[in-house]
């Protein structure tokens, strides 16, 4: 019994050894096909094909697989790979990842928008700076003043000189045949850079409107000049405040012609009245173009720039000097005696 049991045990151990040492005969061997490659090898094949099409980093087996294999991964002449290679070799923005391309497009648009806003801001700043500088330094006026001082001194002499517009008889001027009135703005009917009428002269403006109706306007270097107000927003704002039309113009007084004014009123400049506070700008422009000119004293000097005040003093000195020397203003056909339109203003 003991020997029989030992033989059975030995037979069992021998059978188990054979099972562990050799594969089972019924298991089938996997076919040698790239579709069944381990996951890491398939990934390596895709990386080599997409990212490195022009290099030879992949193994010879991966580049030249057996000819009996029939799958799309191994045929590099397939149209799909041709398109893939051309896309990976190209550096055009359209071949980038959609998210990366969108981010770059948004960045470019933001950059362009920022550049536009910065450029627009700089343009606005430069326009405002030129406007402020131009209202303090009138280059055209300086050039014209030199010519007036040396040759045409009579152009700086007004037909009428009054403290302010309350001394003007609008009804008499209308009776003499004048058809409209052109006002300067700053220090003539408003304080400097102010958008409302100077209180004491409001009643005289009302009487002027009653006599001339809508045939009154503002022609000023600080309002209505295209160079400083392209869209006309400032001119419209002033019109809404004072109720007087602002004439848009391209050239600063005293340079330029009366073309814009004559077009607005529909008559010749000789039938119009120019009222202003500056001899070498308002009066020179008016006399040169045939207006009847009225010079007023400035309403307020407190807000006027220092350089303007100094130039004004020189202008007044020269005008008074020329008057004392007997120089006469240009005669006007509609008003042989300018003193007829001057009156004593009513008490306040």
């Amino acid at each position: 019994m003991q020997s029989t049991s030992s033989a059975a045990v030995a037979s069992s151990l021998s059978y188990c050894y054979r099972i562990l040492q050799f594969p089972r005969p019924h298991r089938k061997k996997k076919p040698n096909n790239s579709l069944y490659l381990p996951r890491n090898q398939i990934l390596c094949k895709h990386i080599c094909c997409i990212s490195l099409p022009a290099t030879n980093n992949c193994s010879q087996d991966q580049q030249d697989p057996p000819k009996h294999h029939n799958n799309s991964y191994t045929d590099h002449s397939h149209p799909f790979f041709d398109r893939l290679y051309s896309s990976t070799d190209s550096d055009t923005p359209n071949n980038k990842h959609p998210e990366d391309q969108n981010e770059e497009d948004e960045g470019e648009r933001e950059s362009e928008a920022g550049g536009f806003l910065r450029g627009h801001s700089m343009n606005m700043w430069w326009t405002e700076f030129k406007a402020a500088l131009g209202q303090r330094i009138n280059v055209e006026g300086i050039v014209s003043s030199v010519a007036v001082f040396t040759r045409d001194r009579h152009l700086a002499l007004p037909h009428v000189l009054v403290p302010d517009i309350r001394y003007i008889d609008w009804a008499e001027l209308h009776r003499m045949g004048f058809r409209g009135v052109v006002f300067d703005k700053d220090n003539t009917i408003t304080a400097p850079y102010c958008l409302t009428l100077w209180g004491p002269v409001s009643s005289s403006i009302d009487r002027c409107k009653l006599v001339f109706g809508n045939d009154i306007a503002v022609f000023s270097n600080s309002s209505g000049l295209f160079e400083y107000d392209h869209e006309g927003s400032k001119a419209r704002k002033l019109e809404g405040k004072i109720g007087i039309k602002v004439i848009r113009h391209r050239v600063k007084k005293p340079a330029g012609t009366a073309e814009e004014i004559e077009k607005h009123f529909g008559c010749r400049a000789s039938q119009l009245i120019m009222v202003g506070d500056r001899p070498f700008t308002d009066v020179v422009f008016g006399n040169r173009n045939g207006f009847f000119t009225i010079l007023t004293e400035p309403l307020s000097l407190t807000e006027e720039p220092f350089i303007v005040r100094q130039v004004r003093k020189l202008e007044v000195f020269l005008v008074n000097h020329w008057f004392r020397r007997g120089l006469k203003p240009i005669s006007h056909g509609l008003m042989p005696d300018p003193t007829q339109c001057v009156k004593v203003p009513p008490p306040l």
Side-chain angles (χ1 to χ4, degrees), residues 100-122:
D100 296 339
Q101 180 66 28
N102 290 338
E103 290 179 359
E104 290 187 7
D105 291 344
E106 290 178 1
E108 290 178 0
R109 286 194 292 270
E110 291 177 359
S111 178
E112 291 176 359
F116 172 78
L117 292 175
R118 286 192 296 272
H120 183 68
S121 177
M122 287 297 296

Side-chain angles (χ1 to χ4, degrees), residues 256-276:
T257 66
E259 180 180 357
E260 293 102 340
I261 299 176
E262 291 177 333
K263 183 178 180 180
H264 172 77
F265 284 96
C267 64
R268 298 189 305 274
S270 58
Q271 297 174 287
L272 301 172
I273 305 159
M274 173 66 67
V275 185

Side-chain angles (χ1 to χ4, degrees), residues 254-326:
T257 66
E259 180 180 357
E260 293 102 340
I261 299 176
E262 291 177 333
K263 183 178 180 180
H264 172 77
F265 284 96
C267 64
R268 298 189 305 274
S270 58
Q271 297 174 287
L272 301 172
I273 305 159
M274 173 66 67
V275 185
D277 66 301
R278 298 290 299 276
F280 279 68
T281 53
D282 304 314
V283 174
V284 169
F285 175 83
N287 286 335
R288 183 177 285 156
N289 290 284
F291 291 83
F292 181 77
T293 56
I294 299 177
L295 180 66
T296 67
E297 296 179 5
L299 297 176
S300 174
L301 298 177
T302 56
E303 298 179 11
E304 199 167 55
F306 173 79
I307 188 171
V308 176
R309 293 200 302 269
Q310 303 310 307
V311 173
R312 183 188 294 279
K313 290 179 180 180
L314 178 61
E315 291 177 350
V316 171
F317 170 80
L318 292 174
V319 169
N320 289 334
H321 175 69
W322 292 333
F323 268 129
R324 286 195 298 267
R325 292 186 57 184

Side-chain angles (χ1 to χ4, degrees), residues 31-38 41-42 45 65 69-74:
N32 186 16
N33 193 305
S34 62
L35 292 176
Y36 293 93
L37 287 174
Q41 292 186 28
I42 296 174
K45 181 181 286 291
H69 291 176
N70 185 17
N71 61 76
S72 61
Y73 298 100
T74 58

Side-chain angles (χ1 to χ4, degrees), residues 182-245:
V182 182
F183 290 100
D184 179 49
K185 175 187 172 292
D186 295 327
N187 263 330
T188 301
I189 59 175
T190 73
Y193 315 114
C194 183
L195 296 179
T196 57
L197 292 173
W198 183 259
V201 304
S202 298
S203 58
S204 181
I205 291 292
D206 292 337
R207 285 194 296 273
C208 184
K209 291 180 179 179
L210 288 175
V211 173
F212 288 96
N214 292 326
D215 292 326
I216 63 175
V218 169
F219 190 81
S220 171
N221 286 344
S222 64
S223 299
L225 198 64
F226 281 103
E227 182 181 1
Y228 305 141
D229 188 15
H230 281 289
E231 299 177 353
S233 58
K234 296 179 181 179
R236 289 191 295 270
K237 187 175 182 180
L238 178 62
E239 290 172 351
K241 292 288 187 179
I242 65 176
I244 302 175
K245 176 67 178 179

